């Protein structure tokens, strides 16, 4: 049975989109783990299979999301960043990038990019208009960095001659090695001005290799790519940019608010932030 909800009904000026609610989608599965309502039976079924393999997966998703908040706050407050490019935005939830950045500096501007039509449907409703700093949304694929960079909405919102905070939070694992995610990220980083930052999280292959291999296999059965990567493979995404302390570490250990966690490796994500020199 195909489910419907209020948020699925067309809004003025929004073309109909095919949400493919018959297949699991990463954005909706993640929403399910975060306790959101924008998910469907196939998303929940695969999400629960993952949870059997990794019982802490919901808490891990929350920790990943908390990192996004800490990283954006850090870049805005300590790095003076006023413009962000958030690729793999996800379904809007608590602590969206513009909310965090604009809480520090109301004139912050954010361009969101995602390739999932459900994120598009929500982004148009929730992230446009009326805010002092301004946001834009681009429906595009990380596999096409040139298209993202050339999109008029990007030039209309961000000044690429000035530093940008590029966030790639829990999205790179959705690309195969054969798609050269490192080259794609490099292309984006090369387009940014000195003083820019990149913030990355990525599910780690080296926390519980057997469990991660298990979820990767389940994802493949569900028609979804999920590639856990080692710390070294994740660190390679930061290239030769200067790592922000403490470097690439388990996500809970990256500049925690308050007391350091007893076991930072309890959430199986690597996290790191780096700054373009010059
Ligand atoms: C797990 S969610 C992460 C959301 C958010 N960044 C966070 O960490 O809270 C991954 C998001 O990346 C998007 N995504 C997956 N592959 C993508 C691609 N090739 N290009 C752009 N977005 C993609 C999905 O649609 C989804 O919204």
């Amino acid at each position: 049975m195909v489910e419907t909800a209020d948020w699925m009904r067309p809004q003025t000026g929004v073309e109909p989109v095919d949400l493919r609610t018959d297949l699991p989608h990463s954005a909706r599965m993640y929403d399910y783990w975060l306790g959101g309502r924008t998910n469907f039976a196939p998303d929940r079924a695969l999400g629960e299979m993952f949870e059997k393999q990794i019982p802490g997966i919901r808490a891990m998703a929350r920790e990943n999301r908390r990192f996004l908040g800490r990283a954006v706050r850090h870049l805005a407050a300590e790095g003076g960043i006023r413009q962000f490019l958030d690729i793999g935005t996800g379904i809007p939830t608590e602590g969206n990038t513009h909310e965090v950045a604009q809480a520090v500096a109301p004139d912050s501007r954010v361009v969101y990019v995602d390739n999932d039509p459900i994120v598009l449907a929500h982004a148009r409703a929730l992230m446009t208009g009326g805010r002092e700093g301004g946001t834009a949304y681009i429906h595009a694929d990380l596999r096409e960095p040139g298209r993202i960079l050339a999109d008029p909405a990007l030039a209309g919102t961000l000044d690429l001659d000035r530093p940008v905070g590029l966030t790639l939070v829990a999205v790179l694992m959705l690309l195969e090695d054969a798609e050269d995610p490192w080259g794609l990220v490099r292309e984006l980083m090369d387009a940014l001005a000195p003083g820019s930052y990149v913030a990355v999280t990525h599910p780690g292959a080296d926390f519980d290799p057997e469990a991660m291999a298990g979820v990767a296999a389940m994802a493949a059965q569900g028609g979804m790519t999920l590639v856990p990567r080692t710390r070294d493979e994740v660190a390679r995404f930061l290239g030769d940019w200067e790592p922000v302390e403490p470097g690439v570490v388990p996500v809970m250990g990256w500049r925690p608010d308050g007391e350091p966690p007893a076991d930072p490796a309890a959430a199986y994500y690597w996290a790191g932030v780096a700054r373009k020199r010059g």
Side-chain angles (χ1 to χ4, degrees):
M1 193 185 80
V2 175
E3 298 170 63
T4 57
D6 279 351
W7 50 263
M8 282 179 70
R9 302 214 169 89
Q11 298 134 29
T12 312
V14 176
E15 311 92 56
V17 289
D18 183 358
L19 299 176
R20 292 306 309 262
T21 58
D22 54 327
L23 296 174
H25 276 217
S26 63
R28 302 187 309 228
M29 203 166 70
Y30 182 68
D31 174 79
Y32 175 56
W33 291 329
L34 289 180
R37 292 171 50 225
T38 310
N39 49 73
F40 298 88
D43 311 312
R44 296 191 284 270
L46 188 59
E48 283 165 15
M49 280 171 70
F50 275 34
E51 197 174 3
K52 287 208 176 85
Q53 191 78 15
I54 302 181
I57 205 153
R58 289 170 195 255
M60 295 183 196
R62 286 195 299 274
E63 289 300 338
N64 173 72
R65 187 74 194 173
R66 284 195 187 116
F67 165 85
L68 176 68
R70 292 200 301 280
V72 169
R73 206 173 305 116
H74 179 80
L75 299 195
E78 312 296 330
I81 294 294
R82 295 291 176 268
Q83 19 180 37
F84 292 85
L85 177 56
D86 179 338
I87 303 184
T89 302
I91 292 161
T93 180
E94 211 176 300
N96 299 302
T97 296
H98 70 285
E99 293 163 346
V100 177
Q102 290 173 358
V104 176
D107 57 337
S108 299
R109 294 184 301 281
V110 179
V111 170
Y112 290 106
V113 180
D114 203 288
N115 69 347
D116 192 322
I118 207 160
V119 180
L120 172 68
H122 279 264
R124 287 189 184 174
L126 299 179
M127 292 177 175
T128 56
R131 296 191 170 84
E132 191 183 336
T135 64
Y137 182 81
I138 302 175
H139 181 63
D141 199 299
L142 173 56
R143 297 179 187 91
E144 296 184 288
R147 237 200 83 202
I148 295 172
L149 292 166
D151 194 292
L154 189 138
T157 311
L158 307 182
D159 175 359
L160 290 190
D161 292 333
R162 304 189 59 202
V164 169
L166 169 64
T167 60
L168 293 158
V169 175
V171 62
L172 294 166
M173 73 288 186
L174 302 165
L175 299 180
E176 304 276 4
D177 281 6
E179 296 176 294
D180 187 18
W182 295 277
L184 297 169
V185 172
R186 166 56 56 191
E187 198 174 331
L188 291 162
M189 288 164 65
D190 282 351
L192 304 183
S196 292
Y197 288 85
V198 62
V200 169
T201 66
H202 201 298
D206 29 16
F207 292 95
D208 182 343
E210 206 176 311
M212 292 311 282
V215 295
M218 285 172 190
Q221 275 174 13
M224 188 187 291
T225 296
L226 173 69
V227 187
R229 293 194 167 95
T230 63
R231 183 187 174 283
D232 284 354
E233 288 171 320
V234 176
R236 270 178 56 207
F237 285 114
L238 306 182
D240 59 357
W241 288 21
E242 186 182 2
V244 170
E245 281 296 317
V248 177
V249 295
V251 70
M252 291 167 76
W254 196 89
R255 294 179 175 261
D257 291 328
E259 286 295 303
D263 178 12
Y268 302 165
Y269 283 89
W270 292 113
V273 177
R275 181 179 184 276
K276 190 167 187 171
R277 299 165 205 271

